[in-house]
Amino acid sequence: MKRFLLFLFVVAASAVVLWFGPLTSQESRDLGAAVLRFDQRLRGAENGHGGDALTTRIKVLEVAGIPDELADREIDLAAQFPARLKLETMIDGNAYRIGRDGETIWISVPHQKLAIEGANDVPRFASDPDSVQPVQLPDFRNPIPRWQLALIPAVFRVEPEVREKRQYRVRPRSFLAKLIGLPEDLVLGLEITDQGGLGELAATTGDKRLRLAFESFGWVRKADVDGLSWELSVADGQKPERVALSHLEKFAGVLIDNLNAKIPTLPPVDGSRRVVASHGKGRLEMINGTRVLFLEGTPEEMGEQHGRLLKDEIRNLVDRIVYGVGVGSSFDKGRWFFGEIEEAQGRLEPFIDERYLREMDAIAAATGMHPQEVRLANFFPELFHCSGFALHGSATVDGELYHGRILDYLRGLGLEQNAVVMIMQPDEGNAWVNVSYAGFIGSVTAMNEKHVAMGEMGGRGEGNWDGKPMAQLMREVMERADTIEEAVEIMRTGPRTCEYYYVISDAKSDRAVGLKTTPEIFETVWSGESHPQLKRPVKDTVLMSAGDRYEALVDRVEANFGEFDAHAARALMDPPVCMNSNIQSVLFAPGSLDFWVANADSENVASKTRYTHYNLGELLKPGAESKEETELTAR
């Protein structure tokens, strides 16, 4: 039956070609013939173990509506089908090279002395020799069957623009475009060289446009192909390192997925609240269009609830952070990410509360991920750079304490779409809210039921890993501290890693403090006190930021001193106090347990998006979940 249907389709396709033959232009038939000749040579190379190699230099002449990073790029490309590829480009005057030779992928960054080869026999994680996960790389092939290429004269209108230069304007016929899934407004501009190669290609659809020039477009005969040197070439000072091929495959996948990632702007608040799913004592709700995750019980129970209720989001975040941001950082640092992060892990884990490790491993089990993936992803806040403030007493309209926290970090790389408010109710310690991201059990922005709030700001000192990770240390404060004095003492005791700054507030005592910490240094700056790095103290405030952002923050507070309510306090977080990388802005009112959360979308930094209001006390009440129709099966 399948063969008969295929036969009918081929007959119908042939009829279309014959029907449109008299209606098509000479240019469209010439283009179709040129494409078929190119395809014939391409498919000839596919047969056997390799044929002629295609080489060219691609210049990006124009971009619009797509990532600006592509503008003015030049890429040297060589490809021999079915399994050899070599690319080279310059970024900020430095060469970046990537290649494939059969089942090996290599990357070379000479100025960073980085040279890596991805292979299938290398474990994914050094701590688990059995974590080898081979991947099968697809061959390079033309995915379009020849019978479809033969339909080009019928599917496309080809009109000469500059006939003597062999420049053409190509558009799909509207009704056929719908059948094969092409945008109806697609317009291609082509320039064919005298040798039959491609000179320029421009593609326009909607507000997107890309124009490329192909220099030296041509073929290298099979007999001369080996001279193109497909293997990794090591420069002086480079020491090749073999890594897991699966890590490089995932890195490439994340880069491609990120090109199309869009985060919609939240609509106005509508008062909606519903339970989406539940598992054990945990549940996932949507409140005014935002995710709120309720976790309760032992570390194992909370980890399983977390993993079952946010499985897709956790896997997405881990891929983007570990395999996207992590692997990508290797090329800037000149050191393979997994080697660096696993070294840090070996020094950090002896200081981490084993309850937190058990919770991470339960998340991994519930999501079907390797435990190392979840553990390594939980170290990512070690790179945050932010601002924070606390206002109270005479600084506010009614003496209410307001604690603001601005998170500036890696906007557009995958955190925002996995944002979640977590209501944490562990079997030991205080209940608290963690304004966080799927799969991340530590905290950088939090408030507990004892009216204590906290936020951090990253500093320098990367590599000082012999202590408790910042995010787990903050979680300890939330679960163990009932007062600001207890919070400060937990932070003082540590042991601490790297350089971090914190703002801690306590509505019960109407006090706030800023901390400057390294493994060796512990300095406090209480409300209204000065510090060499904070030279403009303001009464009843703690204001912490850096550079021009600090100056702008102080200017705003001085200009409106005594007039701050929740709305005015949120406005303090607007640019330029927040940076273009602002992915999260939060305001706590620890006295009432109210808090407001904003997350960045594809168009706006967090501080310019919608703030959603919550109250921790209300969310902790038994039976507080919606009584509306619910879907109670964990996803």
Side-chain angles (χ1 to χ4, degrees):
M1 185 64 179
K2 284 185 178 181
R3 289 185 177 180
F4 179 68
L5 292 175
L6 180 60
F7 171 75
L8 288 180
F9 189 84
V10 171
V11 170
S14 302
V16 169
V17 175
L18 292 173
W19 176 262
F20 280 100
L23 304 180
T24 58
S25 65
Q26 182 63 48
E27 288 80 10
S28 64
R29 293 192 292 273
D30 289 346
L31 176 63
V35 170
L36 286 173
R37 285 194 300 271
F38 179 84
D39 179 68
Q40 181 64 39
R41 191 160 193 178
L42 184 66
R43 293 182 190 276
E46 290 178 357
N47 297 328
H49 299 289
D52 296 349
L54 174 65
T55 63
T56 187
R57 168 171 287 184
I58 304 172
K59 287 187 175 183
V60 181
L61 301 179
E62 182 181 353
V63 296
I66 57 178
D68 292 339
E69 291 81 4
L70 294 175
D72 300 321
R73 290 275 180 252
E74 294 186 5
I75 302 171
D76 289 319
L77 176 147
Q80 182 191 30
F81 294 77
R84 280 176 162 177
L85 176 71
K86 187 167 63 172
L87 299 171
E88 180 174 348
T89 190
M90 301 292 291
I91 300 176
D92 296 329
N94 298 308
Y96 290 79
R97 303 182 182 109
I98 182 171
R100 174 182 172 184
D101 188 14
E103 294 302 308
T104 298
I105 289 180
W106 55 263
I107 300 175
S108 174
V109 187
H111 74 283
Q112 294 286 14
K113 296 182 170 54
L114 179 72
I116 55 176
E117 287 185 303
N120 270 327
D121 59 349
V122 178
R124 299 166 64 203
F125 308 105
S127 59
D128 181 6
D130 295 327
S131 61
V132 174
Q133 187 181 65
V135 297
Q136 184 172 358
L137 299 176
D139 287 344
F140 303 131
R141 296 187 181 279
N142 187 346
I144 305 174
R146 282 185 65 80
W147 65 265
Q148 289 186 10
L149 294 176
L151 294 175
I152 284 177
V155 174
F156 292 95
R157 290 188 178 92
V158 181
E159 304 163 355
E161 285 198 317
V162 182
R163 194 179 299 273
E164 60 272 17
K165 290 187 178 181
R166 303 180 71 184
Q167 294 177 349
Y168 303 97
R169 180 183 178 90
V170 181
R171 292 175 296 175
R173 300 178 188 273
S174 58
F175 73 97
L176 288 175
K178 292 180 181 179
L179 290 177
I180 60 179
L182 288 174
E184 289 187 61
D185 62 349
L186 174 66
V187 178
L188 299 176
L190 299 175
E191 180 182 9
I192 308 299
T193 66
D194 293 337
Q195 294 75 32
L198 189 60
E200 281 195 17
L201 169 65
T204 304
T205 176
D207 60 351
K208 297 181 174 62
R209 178 171 171 81
L210 176 65
R211 186 163 68 94
L212 308 173
F214 296 81
E215 295 184 351
S216 305
F217 186 94
W219 297 87
V220 176
R221 294 187 178 277
K222 180 177 180 179
D224 302 318
V225 160
D226 289 340
L228 293 175
S229 183
W230 304 98
E231 301 84 5
L232 172 63
S233 177
V234 180
D236 290 343
Q238 285 185 302
K239 296 181 179 178
E241 181 177 0
R242 299 181 79 247
V243 304
L245 180 60
S246 61
H247 289 344
L248 296 179
E249 180 198 41
K250 281 204 167 187
F251 171 64
V254 169
L255 287 183
I256 294 170
D257 289 344
N258 207 50
L259 291 175
N260 299 315
K262 295 293 181 184
I263 306 169
T265 299
L266 286 172
V269 169
D270 59 8
S272 63
R273 179 173 180 178
R274 65 186 179 90
V275 177
V276 175
S278 65
H279 182 77
K281 300 175 185 177
R283 68 183 186 274
L284 175 65
E285 292 192 22
M286 293 298 294
I287 299 179
N288 284 309
T290 67
R291 283 186 290 257
V292 181
L293 179 68
F294 295 78
L295 302 176
E296 182 178 353
T298 66
E300 289 79 7
E301 289 172 332
M302 292 176 69
E304 183 174 335
Q305 294 159 21
H306 197 160
R308 289 288 299 273
L309 294 170
L310 287 179
K311 179 179 180 179
D312 293 343
E313 291 83 357
I314 293 170
R315 295 180 73 94
N316 182 274
L317 181 134
V318 169
D319 281 352
R320 289 176 179 273
I321 294 301
V322 175
Y323 299 104
V325 177
V327 172
S329 72
S330 305
F331 313 124
D332 288 330
K333 292 183 174 182
R335 184 176 180 189
W336 179 238
F337 167 73
F338 281 92
E340 182 179 32
I341 196 69
E342 288 190 283
E343 177 188 335
Q345 178 188 21
R347 293 164 60 185
L348 289 164
E349 283 194 352
F351 300 95
I352 298 176
D353 189 325
E354 56 88 21
R355 289 172 54 87
Y356 301 154
L357 296 176
R358 285 158 48 198
E359 188 173 333
M360 293 179 205
D361 291 347
I363 291 174
T367 56
M369 303 177 75
H370 193 286
Q372 278 291 83
E373 292 179 298
V374 175
R375 290 193 180 194
L376 297 181
N378 268 272
F379 295 144
F380 76 82
E382 301 295 312
L383 303 176
F384 283 173
H385 300 282
C386 324
S387 301
F389 61 83
L391 314 169
H392 60 100
S394 61
T396 64
V397 170
D398 50 7
E400 182 81 29
L401 190 157
Y402 293 110
H403 183 149
R405 188 271 194 279
I406 303 167
L407 173 57
D408 293 316
Y409 183 70
L410 295 177
R411 180 171 169 236
L413 293 182
L415 292 173
E416 305 95 306
Q417 53 261 60
N418 296 299
V420 59
V421 171
M422 301 183 192
I423 307 303
M424 314 284 281
Q425 300 179 76
D427 62 339
E428 297 180 14
N430 298 323
W432 58 291
V433 57
N434 187 11
V435 185
S436 188
Y437 301 94
F440 180 55
I441 72 161
S443 185
V444 296
T445 310
M447 178 177 67
N448 69 17
E449 62 181 336
K450 304 298 184 181
H451 307 275
V452 175
M454 189 172 184
E456 65 76 41
M457 287 135 275
R460 292 172 291 183
E462 184 178 347
N464 296 323
W465 304 120
D466 299 305
K468 294 181 180 181
M470 169 272 295
Q472 273 75 48
L473 192 55
M474 279 189 59
R475 177 168 178 170
E476 285 190 24
V477 169
M478 288 294 102
E479 294 181 347
R480 293 170 47 198
D482 293 355
T483 67
I484 195 169
E485 291 83 6
E486 291 175 354
V488 170
E489 189 57 32
I490 290 170
M491 298 301 297
R492 187 191 310 275
T493 303
R496 301 175 301 275
T497 64
C498 305
E499 178 185 66
Y500 291 103
Y501 300 82
Y502 303 88
V503 175
I504 306 175
S505 63
D506 180 2
K508 298 186 303 300
S509 62
D510 194 32
R511 301 177 74 195
V513 65
L515 304 180
K516 175 184 178 179
T517 72
T518 71
E520 299 81 22
I521 296 172
F522 188 84
E523 298 176 354
T524 60
V525 184
W526 293 89
S527 296
E529 292 184 348
S530 64
H531 183 274
Q533 291 174 256
L534 305 170
K535 297 180 179 181
R536 296 175 60 189
V538 179
K539 180 184 176 182
D540 287 345
T541 71
V542 174
L543 308 175
M544 298 189 73
S545 190
D548 293 340
R549 291 178 291 129
Y550 171 70
E551 299 297 331
L553 178 59
V554 176
D555 288 344
R556 288 177 177 178
V557 171
E558 289 179 340
N560 298 281
F561 188 85
E563 301 177 4
F564 287 103
D565 56 12
H567 177 77
R570 291 195 298 272
L572 284 175
M573 297 185 276
D574 287 349
V577 175
C578 76
M579 302 169 66
N580 290 333
S581 56
N582 173 218
I583 63 171
Q584 177 199 93
S585 293
V586 179
L587 182 71
F588 294 115
S592 62
L593 296 181
D594 288 310
F595 62 104
W596 296 261
V597 178
N599 290 289
D601 57 35
S602 293
E603 302 297 328
N604 306 286
V605 297
S607 295
K608 287 299 185 180
T609 63
R610 191 197 84 188
Y611 281 89
T612 303
H613 171 250
Y614 313 86
N615 182 275
L616 178 58
E618 292 296 323
L619 294 172
L620 288 173
K621 288 181 179 179
E625 64 269 25
S626 170
K627 300 302 182 182
E628 299 175 15
E629 182 179 353
T630 61
E631 176 190 344
L632 296 178
T633 303
R635 294 179 298 168

